[in-house]
Amino acid sequence: MTKPTAAEASLSRQTFNRLRDLVREHAGIDFPDEKQYLLESRVKPRLMAQEVPDFETYADRLEQGDTREIARLVNAVTINETAFFRHPSQFEALEDTILPELVRLHQQERSGPMRLWSAACSAGDEAYSLAILIREAIEPRHPRMDYEIVGTDIDTAVLEEARAGRYRKRSVRNVPPAYLRDYFDRSGEAFVVDPAIRDMVEFRPLNLTDAQDMRRMRNVDLIMCANVLIYFNETSKKDVLRGLYRSLRPGGYLFVGGSEALGELDVPLEPVRHEGALAYRRPTNGSVSSRA
């Protein structure tokens, strides 16, 4: 009888629980029971790549401490859907009010560069969007300001893509034509970010659920973290949000996704609405309470 292959393997509930626990431990991402099919579809390519016949054998290998494969698993289950200027209302709010306000704060009372952070940056679209916005709308009015733009992600593979700065047409569909002309070079079917914009952004690996990792991000003026919290369970979501809060300077802003309300997560951030965009601001006299 022919042995089943990895392509034919199916994920039992017991092994799903084992893999789910591993993903939760190493990435902080939670797969509820009804998402077993999704975890199976994301893990199966790893079975085939490693020539492992079934999910049980694969789970055994991970539990025995195969750190390289654990890193590959994290990359496989991470959701990487993004685009340049993906949330136009947020970038309008940044250009019209938030970035000018942060510039004024820096000119009045802060030293060092303005720090902008694209958390869970995926392939870098958002971080480069921030760089283009700074270059186009802020630098001409404030040429002496210094900026530090950082993109982080737990997925090391997409960080390599981000550093390369090559994108398909779908990724640049929201880019204004003038920006597309001035800040991208066409290479066949690819759109390549101009080197001057790439040089404005630093990409680093970072796990939002790792407290030690998060201590590296402090005194940040703006955090973009849209459509990330929805993938965490309630406990991890609160831990991540507390970490983001601690990373913000007093007066700094946090953007999350439109479906990610923070009202019940007990962190002292003030909602600030700008037409179609909702941001959260750390009060200038705010501090992390015992609950946060």
Side-chain angles (χ1 to χ4, degrees), residues 47-189:
L47 270 67
M48 299 171 69
Q50 293 295 302
E51 299 183 345
V52 175
D54 52 55
F55 287 96
E56 288 72 27
T57 304
Y58 185 70
D60 290 342
R61 175 180 294 188
L62 297 175
E63 289 171 347
Q64 289 165 7
D66 187 337
T67 55
R68 288 187 178 182
E69 186 57 30
I70 288 172
R72 296 186 185 105
L73 171 67
V74 169
N75 289 352
V77 302
T78 304
I79 295 88
N80 294 306
E81 174 61 32
T82 186
F84 282 82
F85 298 96
R86 184 180 180 186
H87 303 285
S89 61
Q90 292 185 353
F91 282 92
E92 290 172 10
L94 286 170
E95 181 176 356
D96 293 346
T97 60
I98 292 175
L99 287 176
E101 177 186 329
L102 292 174
V103 167
R104 286 193 297 272
L105 283 173
H106 268 268
Q107 291 174 334
Q108 293 168 5
E109 58 190 60
R110 296 178 177 174
S111 60
M114 181 187 295
R115 303 192 72 198
L116 314 177
W117 176 19
S118 174
C121 68
S122 188
D125 316 51
E126 183 177 75
Y128 287 134
S129 297
L130 286 171
I132 292 171
L133 184 63
I134 291 292
R135 178 61 54 88
E136 183 73 18
I138 305 300
E139 280 189 348
R141 286 175 281 175
H142 306 280
R144 296 185 180 180
M145 278 290 301
D146 291 326
Y147 304 91
E148 179 181 298
I149 305 173
V150 178
T152 68
D153 204 283
I154 194 172
D155 185 337
T156 54
V158 295
L159 289 177
E160 288 303 313
E161 295 179 27
R163 295 184 183 104
R166 295 176 64 90
Y167 299 91
R168 296 180 179 178
K169 186 175 182 179
R170 175 175 172 77
S171 295
V172 300
R173 64 190 183 276
N174 295 326
V175 178
Y179 291 5
L180 198 63
R181 180 189 66 238
D182 294 342
Y183 299 112
F184 293 82
D185 296 316
R186 193 71 183 264
S187 176
E189 295 299 312

Side-chain angles (χ1 to χ4, degrees), residues 10-29:
S10 60
L11 181 61
S12 69
R13 177 64 72 175
Q14 181 180 5
T15 307
F16 165 68
N17 289 333
R18 294 168 65 192
L19 291 172
R20 172 169 62 179
D21 288 346
L22 283 161
V23 171
R24 184 185 293 139
E25 176 185 354
H26 293 281
I29 298 172

Side-chain angles (χ1 to χ4, degrees), residues 33 57 65-66 118-119 157 164 174 204 206 210 213 218 227 275:
D33 289 348
T57 304
D66 187 337
S118 174
N174 295 326
R204 311 173 188 165
L206 185 142
D210 187 314
D213 261 5
R218 286 291 184 266
N227 303 323
E275 297 183 0

Side-chain angles (χ1 to χ4, degrees), residues 225-239:
C225 193
N227 303 323
V228 176
L229 296 175
I230 56 175
Y231 297 111
F232 296 117
N233 61 32
E234 287 305 306
T235 299
S236 296
K237 189 181 297 183
K238 290 179 180 179
D239 289 342

